């Protein structure tokens, strides 16, 4: 009923239902809004928000807790039986110094918020306003995700984080007191500076919308010019002389106008610088994108060349395998030829018949040779005084004899094609002489 865009726990219900442990921890500070407001709790629920949360129809403005701190310093802690170091971020709460402690996350989810360590529970206000952010992935949360199991490792990490927070407290306060000769605590200065800056910005925006100069209150100009800063010596006097109101209304309006012009000029310069940085970043992004595209193109070309080389490699390997097979076949044929040559006395181009067939063939060949000699003698006697020309037609008897010799040679030489032999020429005679010489050599070798 109090906030139509939120789901909240009533104060009386919250006071009665919260745990006694939390009551003891929060006696020294006010109750954070995240304890009773679902919208405030959802805004810090995740260490690094990655999703959109909508409550009562309105989007939740999530925030990075580590980016909302001031005077940020980081430290590390190495738990036992854990391989990685844990980063701890310390800083001052810029919203209010009333809320401080350790924000403990597990796997990006908030488990315990504003958990005060030992040094923050002392009566000397040590660590007031300081927030520590740590992601404890090695610890085991309880079933309701609101606490960690009370183990030795949990107690050990809380003790070490307390020591580190106290060291941060001493270091920051020492630097603050050394650099600024001021007695005001740093937690008050940080909070005032953040509040003054936000209020001054809101007032200036309102004035810009209205277009009025006289409507700006002096407090806004003062807080905008020096929000919560402790000046000393000449700096303080100059600030007072620039901002102090004067009795003359015209002079006062001129001073206000100068201050507004100075603020506007500063903001415009900041905007211009932001635009320049933005344009530079865009140019660099485009250059990087162009380089990325060129690199991808070069990678594609290289991949195409690799594919071609792989295809050539496959073709060459196939050819090599084929040639190797042919070589092996040739070697086997050579071995067979050598083995067959060893088993025969003389290797011929035609098949060798048995001994009886060879004798019969030799007898027939001798008879044919005697017949051919007689025939050639008759021919020589008949054709004495005439030239023997291969193209001259022979007698029917000689042609018939040559045909008979051809058929006989075909039985000895199967590769002989009688249709391509010219029986009118002496080709068949030459073939017959070669066969007879071969047979004679075979007979001589056999004897």
């Amino acid at each position: 009923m109090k906030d139509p865009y939120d789901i909240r726990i009533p104060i009386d219900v919250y006071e009665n239902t919260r745990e006694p442990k939390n009551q003891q921890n929060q006696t020294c500070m006010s109750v954070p809004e995240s304890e009773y407001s679902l919208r405030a709790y959802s805004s810090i629920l995740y260490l690094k928000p990655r999703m959109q949360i909508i409550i009562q129809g309105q989007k939740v403005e999530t925030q990075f807790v580590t980016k909302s701190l001031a005077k940020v310093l980081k430290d590390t802690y190495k738990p036992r039986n854990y391989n990685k170091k844990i980063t701890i971020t310390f800083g001052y709460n810029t919203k209010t110094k009333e809320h401080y402690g350790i924000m403990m996350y597990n796997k990006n989810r908030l488990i315990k918020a504003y958990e005060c360590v030992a040094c923050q529970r002392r009566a000397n206000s040590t660590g007031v306003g300081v927030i520590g952010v740590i992601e404890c992935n090695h610890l085991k949360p309880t079933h309701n995700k609101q606490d960690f199991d009370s183990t030795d490792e949990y107690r050990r990490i809380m003790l070490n984080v307390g020591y580190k927070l106290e060291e941060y407290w001493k270091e920051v306060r020492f630097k603050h007191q050394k650099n600024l000769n001021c007695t005001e605590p740093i937690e008050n200065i940080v909070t005032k500076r953040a509040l003054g800056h936000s209020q001054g910005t809101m007032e200036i925006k309102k004035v810009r919308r209205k277009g009025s100069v006289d409507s700006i209150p002096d407090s806004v100009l003062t807080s905008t010019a020096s929000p919560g800063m402790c000046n000393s010596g000449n700096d303080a006097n100059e600030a007072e002389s620039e901002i102090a109101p004067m009795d003359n209304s015209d002079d006062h309006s001129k001073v206000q106008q100068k201050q507004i012009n100075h603020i506007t000029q500063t903001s415009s310069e900041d905007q211009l610088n932001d635009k320049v940085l933005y344009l530079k970043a865009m140019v660099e992004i485009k250059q990087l994108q162009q380089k990325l595209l060129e690199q991808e193109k070069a990678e594609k070309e290289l991949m195409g060349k690799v594919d071609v080389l792989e295809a050539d490699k496959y073709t060459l390997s196939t050819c090599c395998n084929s040639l190797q097979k042919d070589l092996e076949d040739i070697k086997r044929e050579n071995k067979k030829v050598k083995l067959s040559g060893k088993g025969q006395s003389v290797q011929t181009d035609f098949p060798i018949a048995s001994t009886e067939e060879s004798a019969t063939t030799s007898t027939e060949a001798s008879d044919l040779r005697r017949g051919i000699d007689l025939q050639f003698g008759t021919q020589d006697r008949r054709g004495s005084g005439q030239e023997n020309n291969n193209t001259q037609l022979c007698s029917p008897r000689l042609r018939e004899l040559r045909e008979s010799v051809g058929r006989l040679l075909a039985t000895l030489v199967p590769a002989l094609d009688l249709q391509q032999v010219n029986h009118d020429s002496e080709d068949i005679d030459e073939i017959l002489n070669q066969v007879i010489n071969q047979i004679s050599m075979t007979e001589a070798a056999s004897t």
Side-chain angles (χ1 to χ4, degrees):
M1 298 301 293
K2 186 176 181 180
D3 189 352
Y5 299 105
D6 194 7
I7 299 176
R8 304 164 70 93
I9 301 175
I11 299 297
D12 54 349
V13 176
Y14 175 76
E15 292 292 338
N16 295 328
T17 56
R18 65 173 178 168
E19 298 178 0
K21 183 179 179 180
N22 295 333
Q23 294 179 2
Q24 295 177 3
N25 294 340
Q26 296 172 357
T27 53
C28 57
M29 63 178 182
S30 61
V31 179
E33 188 179 6
S34 60
E35 291 288 335
Y36 53 84
S37 171
L38 180 60
R39 180 171 292 274
Y41 178 73
S42 300
S43 64
I44 61 173
L45 180 59
Y46 297 102
L47 182 62
K48 295 178 181 179
R50 297 190 182 92
M51 70 176 183
Q52 189 179 29
I53 302 175
I54 298 175
I55 298 177
Q56 300 287 70
Q58 189 176 18
K59 179 182 176 181
V60 176
E61 294 182 1
T62 58
Q63 57 179 321
F64 291 88
V65 179
T66 55
K67 293 184 179 180
S68 63
L69 303 177
K71 305 291 183 182
V72 177
L73 288 178
K74 293 184 178 181
D75 202 343
T76 57
Y77 170 70
K78 178 65 173 63
R80 295 181 181 177
N81 300 326
Y82 196 67
N83 297 329
K84 298 181 181 179
K85 292 183 179 181
I86 300 176
T87 302
I88 309 172
T89 304
F90 294 107
Y92 278 88
N93 190 352
T94 56
K95 296 181 179 180
T96 174
K97 69 174 184 178
E98 297 295 329
H99 302 153
Y100 52 89
I102 306 299
M103 310 291 288
M104 304 184 69
Y105 289 83
N106 178 267
K107 297 180 181 179
N108 200 45
R109 188 193 187 283
L110 181 65
I111 302 298
K112 301 189 73 173
Y114 304 106
E115 181 70 15
C116 294
V117 292
C119 62
Q120 291 178 328
R121 297 176 182 176
R122 299 173 186 171
N124 56 1
S125 300
T126 302
V128 173
V130 178
I131 289 179
V133 181
I134 183 172
E135 188 174 12
C136 308
N137 293 334
H138 66 291
L139 298 179
K140 184 179 180 181
T142 56
H143 66 283
N144 59 359
K145 305 293 184 181
Q146 299 297 314
D147 201 349
F148 290 100
D149 291 341
S150 181
T151 60
D152 293 338
E153 186 58 39
Y154 172 75
R155 289 186 287 271
R156 193 180 298 112
I157 193 173
M158 295 302 296
L159 183 63
N160 284 275
V161 170
Y163 291 151
K164 293 180 181 296
L165 188 145
E166 190 172 2
E167 292 176 359
Y168 166 81
W169 169 266
K170 293 178 181 179
E171 181 178 355
V172 173
R173 289 181 68 86
F174 175 76
K175 289 182 179 180
H176 171 68
Q177 294 176 359
K178 183 178 180 180
N179 296 333
L180 299 176
N181 190 10
C182 180
T183 58
E184 188 174 3
I186 184 174
E187 54 270 16
N188 295 339
I189 294 175
V190 171
T191 306
K192 289 181 180 179
R193 185 178 300 171
L195 292 175
H197 180 70
S198 60
Q199 292 177 359
T201 304
M202 293 176 62
E203 293 293 337
I204 290 172
K205 288 182 179 179
K206 291 180 181 178
V207 171
R208 286 179 181 175
R209 288 195 295 268
K210 293 180 180 179
S212 175
V213 177
D214 297 334
S215 60
I216 301 178
D218 296 337
S219 60
V220 174
L221 296 174
T222 305
S223 61
T224 306
S226 58
M229 295 179 62
C230 294
N231 298 324
S232 61
N234 296 328
D235 295 336
N237 295 330
E238 290 176 0
E240 290 177 359
S241 63
E242 291 180 359
I243 302 175
M246 301 177 66
D247 296 335
N248 193 347
S249 60
D250 294 337
D251 295 338
H252 181 61
S253 62
K254 290 179 179 180
V255 171
Q256 290 179 343
Q257 183 65 37
K258 288 181 180 179
Q259 293 173 349
I260 293 174
N261 292 336
H262 176 70
I263 295 171
T264 306
Q265 183 178 2
T266 304
S267 61
S268 62
E269 290 178 356
D270 294 338
Q271 292 178 357
L272 181 61
N273 293 331
D274 293 339
K275 289 181 179 179
V276 171
L277 293 175
Y278 174 75
L279 292 175
K280 288 182 179 179
M282 292 300 295
V283 170
E284 292 179 356
I285 290 172
K286 289 182 179 179
Q287 292 177 354
L288 291 175
Q289 289 177 350
Q290 185 67 24
K291 290 181 180 180
L292 183 60
L293 291 175
E294 292 177 355
Q295 186 177 1
E296 289 179 354
K297 184 177 180 180
E299 289 179 355
K300 288 181 180 179
E301 292 178 355
L302 289 175
M303 291 299 295
K305 293 181 180 179
V306 169
D307 293 338
V308 172
L309 292 175
E310 289 290 340
D312 294 341
K313 180 181 177 181
Y314 177 76
T315 304
L316 291 174
S317 62
T318 304
C319 294
C320 290
N321 294 331
S322 178
L323 291 174
Q324 189 174 3
K325 289 181 180 179
D326 294 340
L327 181 59
E328 292 177 356
D329 294 338
I330 291 171
K331 288 181 179 180
R332 285 195 295 269
E333 291 294 334
N334 289 334
K335 289 181 179 179
K336 290 180 180 179
V337 170
K338 290 180 181 180
L339 293 174
S340 62
K342 290 180 180 180
Q344 297 176 357
S345 59
V346 178
Q347 183 176 359
T348 60
D349 296 333
F350 51 88
I352 299 174
S354 61
T355 306
E356 296 179 355
E357 292 178 354
S358 298
T360 305
T361 304
S362 300
T363 305
E364 291 177 356
S366 299
D367 295 338
L368 287 174
R369 187 172 183 180
R370 285 193 296 270
I372 290 170
D373 291 339
L374 293 174
Q375 185 67 30
F376 274 124
T378 306
Q379 182 67 25
D380 291 340
R381 286 192 299 268
R382 290 179 182 178
S384 60
Q386 297 180 358
E387 294 179 358
N388 186 13
N389 192 353
N390 292 332
T391 61
Q392 185 178 3
L393 294 175
C394 61
S395 63
R397 178 62 180 167
L398 180 59
R399 182 178 179 83
E400 183 180 357
L401 182 59
R402 286 179 177 175
E403 290 178 356
S404 300
V405 171
R407 288 193 294 272
L408 180 60
L409 290 175
T411 59
L412 299 175
V413 184
L416 181 60
D417 190 0
L418 296 178
Q419 294 180 359
Q420 296 181 0
V421 176
N422 186 7
H423 294 87
D424 293 333
S425 65
E426 296 178 355
D427 293 341
I428 195 69
D429 300 336
E430 294 178 359
I431 297 172
L432 178 61
N433 290 331
Q434 293 178 4
V435 173
I436 291 171
N437 293 331
Q438 188 68 31
I439 294 172
S440 299
M441 292 174 63
T442 304
E443 290 176 355
S446 61
T447 56

